[in-house]
Amino acid sequence: MNENHSDDQYGRARVQDSPELIAYYKELEKLGAGALWTVANDIEPWEPRSSSVPMLWKYDNLRELVVKSSDLVTPEQAGRRVVYLVNDKRKDVSAAVGWLYTGIQVTRPGESTSAHRHKASALRFIMEGEGGYTVVNGNKITFEVNDFVITPNSTWHEHGVDANGKMCIWQDGLDIPLVNALEANDYAVYDGKQPLEQEINYSPLAYGCAGLLPADVTWNKPYSPLFKYSWKEVYPTLLETLKVKPINPIDGIIMQYSNPLNGGHVMQTMGASMQLLPAGFKGKAHKHTGSIVYQCAKGSGYSIINGKRFEWKERDIFCVPSWAWHEHHNASENEDACLFSFNDLPVIEKLGLYQEKELTENKGHQQVQ
């Protein structure tokens, strides 16, 4: 393969403008057409190219404003009370990175949202509170801090906090920009509250137990039947895995939230992972296609993304654009750190678009600008 990435070579568009060509282009434009060679080098880059930029959203700076939204508007008025996080280069599509959306939602004790559904898939990562719950297609599920919850596309879902609970805050992740770009999104509101079709927490109790699955139940949906992945089970699993598995020099101990029926991604368009960075871990850099949104679930550290250092601690959120060099470091020599993340890799992988490259210079570490 030719590694010369100069456009001044055979096989790339090298046409020089002339008065005759400019007139020709104008004639094509009148007919809603154009000459490929005028845009070919731009729409066919030598390597993957992202229009997003790395960003870090500090929770300490946002929390007060997130809570303030609950004083200014009600769930009935807003539908959902969310402060969304937008990438400086993706404001036109309300995306946090690539084609992924994320926001921070707040719900007070006794409040609930209306039941609704949409073609976009959604997920939640619980940041604060007690007594929170979600209802997905008639399945009521309670959750705790650092639990991961999915509400797959076209499922009826609603959220709330018990009257005797504490204010809950969680991160929302959706593929709204992607589904909108495909011109396939829709939205519907349920008339009233969903009737409960199963016992409370049926999904995590039936599908999240010690690798056992119901033998007498048929599941024919394209997403995971396990709607909640509990931190109280996830974190100990990471610690147990650390005892027996070599530490990945790039990601530490990283595990994918999976569909228990097939081991695949939890939903068709979005995947999610939890990774543990052992004390003193200094990850090596790589880059890959696919966009990722991270939240620090435990500890503190920093990530170097395209040569820039981003320091994070618990509840901070940051993004890594597609094909951006990135490496993660644990700031502590005594305590581990954990990063939750969600991504668009199910789409990238299904379309055969995944590629990855590891940094070989400087012992695998970027030079910080």
Side-chain angles (χ1 to χ4, degrees):
M1 184 175 63
N2 186 353
E3 294 293 339
N4 176 12
H5 288 178
S6 169
D7 287 336
D8 187 23
Q9 61 177 299
Y10 182 74
R12 296 296 275 179
R14 300 179 293 166
V15 178
Q16 300 296 316
D17 282 349
S18 67
E20 292 81 7
L21 276 173
I22 292 174
Y24 173 67
Y25 299 151
K26 290 181 178 178
E27 289 297 313
L28 288 175
E29 187 176 359
K30 292 177 184 178
L31 300 176
L36 173 61
W37 59 83
T38 63
V39 297
N41 293 351
D42 186 54
I43 66 175
E44 296 175 322
W46 289 104
E47 289 188 314
R49 183 173 60 198
S50 176
S51 59
S52 305
V53 293
M55 290 191 65
L56 170 68
W57 295 274
K58 302 294 289 184
Y59 188 59
D60 285 349
N61 297 337
L62 282 166
R63 187 184 184 281
E64 181 179 351
L65 292 175
V66 170
V67 174
K68 186 176 181 179
S69 72
S70 66
D71 296 324
L72 298 175
V73 295
T74 66
E76 291 79 13
Q77 292 171 324
R80 288 96 76 207
R81 245 173 352 218
V82 182
V83 172
Y84 74 98
L85 310 180
V86 62
N87 194 282
D88 285 344
K89 298 295 184 180
R90 302 293 285 159
K91 294 180 179 179
D92 56 328
V93 292
S94 302
V97 63
W99 298 102
L100 296 173
Y101 160 101
T102 196
I104 303 175
Q105 183 168 172
V106 59
T107 306
R108 289 186 178 274
E111 294 181 337
S112 62
T113 63
S114 62
H116 59 281
R117 69 180 182 186
H118 36 68
K119 279 296 184 292
S121 298
L123 55 85
R124 328 285 166 191
F125 191 74
I126 314 307
M127 304 170 77
E128 288 188 34
E130 296 177 8
Y133 64 87
T134 186
V135 183
V136 184
N137 274 356
N139 289 267
K140 184 175 181 179
I141 298 162
T142 61
F143 49 65
E144 300 174 354
V145 171
N146 281 353
D147 285 356
F148 169 57
V149 179
I150 64 170
T151 51
N153 73 315
S154 295
T155 57
W156 291 109
H157 56 283
E158 58 193 273
H159 320 291
V161 177
D162 291 336
N164 59 352
K166 296 181 180 179
M167 180 179 65
C168 288
I169 299 175
W170 59 78
Q171 180 182 5
D172 289 330
L174 293 97
D175 59 358
I176 286 177
L178 173 64
V179 180
N180 284 345
L182 295 172
E183 300 177 349
N185 209 3
D186 61 18
Y187 191 90
V189 176
Y190 196 86
D191 185 11
K193 293 291 184 180
Q194 300 177 69
L196 298 186
E197 299 181 358
Q198 303 284 358
E199 296 293 325
I200 294 176
N201 288 323
Y202 169 82
S203 169
L205 290 175
Y207 289 96
C209 300
L212 298 173
L213 297 173
D216 56 349
V217 176
T218 300
W219 183 262
N220 58 5
K221 304 292 193 300
Y223 47 79
S224 172
L226 180 55
F227 293 155
K228 180 181 76 171
Y229 299 76
S230 299
W231 173 250
K232 64 183 180 183
E233 297 176 1
V234 169
Y235 182 60
T237 300
L238 291 168
L239 295 178
E240 291 298 310
T241 304
L242 179 61
K243 296 177 182 178
V244 297
K245 187 177 183 300
I247 296 173
N248 185 305
I250 292 174
D251 287 314
I253 297 296
I254 185 167
M255 304 192 79
Q256 173 182 296
Y257 292 99
S258 65
N259 183 330
L261 298 180
N262 57 28
H265 292 290
V266 291
M267 293 183 287
Q268 306 97 294
T269 53
M270 291 193 298
S273 297
M274 180 67 75
Q275 65 191 101
L276 183 148
L277 309 181
F281 179 80
K282 300 184 183 303
K284 293 186 177 182
H286 73 151
K287 60 182 178 180
H288 53 74
T289 46
S291 303
I292 303 184
V293 177
Y294 289 89
Q295 182 188 144
C296 177
K298 181 180 183 292
S300 63
Y302 61 93
S303 296
I304 301 172
I305 310 171
N306 279 347
K308 184 177 179 181
R309 177 169 167 153
F310 295 85
E311 297 196 18
W312 39 259
K313 63 179 182 179
E314 199 166 304
R315 302 297 159 233
D316 290 344
I317 297 170
F318 64 98
C319 70
V320 174
S322 180
W323 209 242
W325 289 111
H326 58 285
E327 57 189 88
H328 306 303
H329 297 245
N330 185 344
S332 173
E333 295 295 331
N334 304 307
E335 301 290 335
D336 59 38
C338 291
L339 293 175
F340 165 79
S341 63
F342 71 93
N343 56 64
D344 56 8
L345 292 180
V347 176
I348 296 293
E349 292 169 358
K350 287 175 185 175
L351 296 178
L353 301 177
Y354 186 80
Q355 55 179 304
E356 181 179 7
K357 187 175 184 180
E358 296 183 13
L359 186 66
T360 56
E361 298 83 11
N362 195 34
K363 298 182 179 179
H365 297 291
Q366 302 169 73
Q367 297 286 352
V368 179
Q369 300 171 0

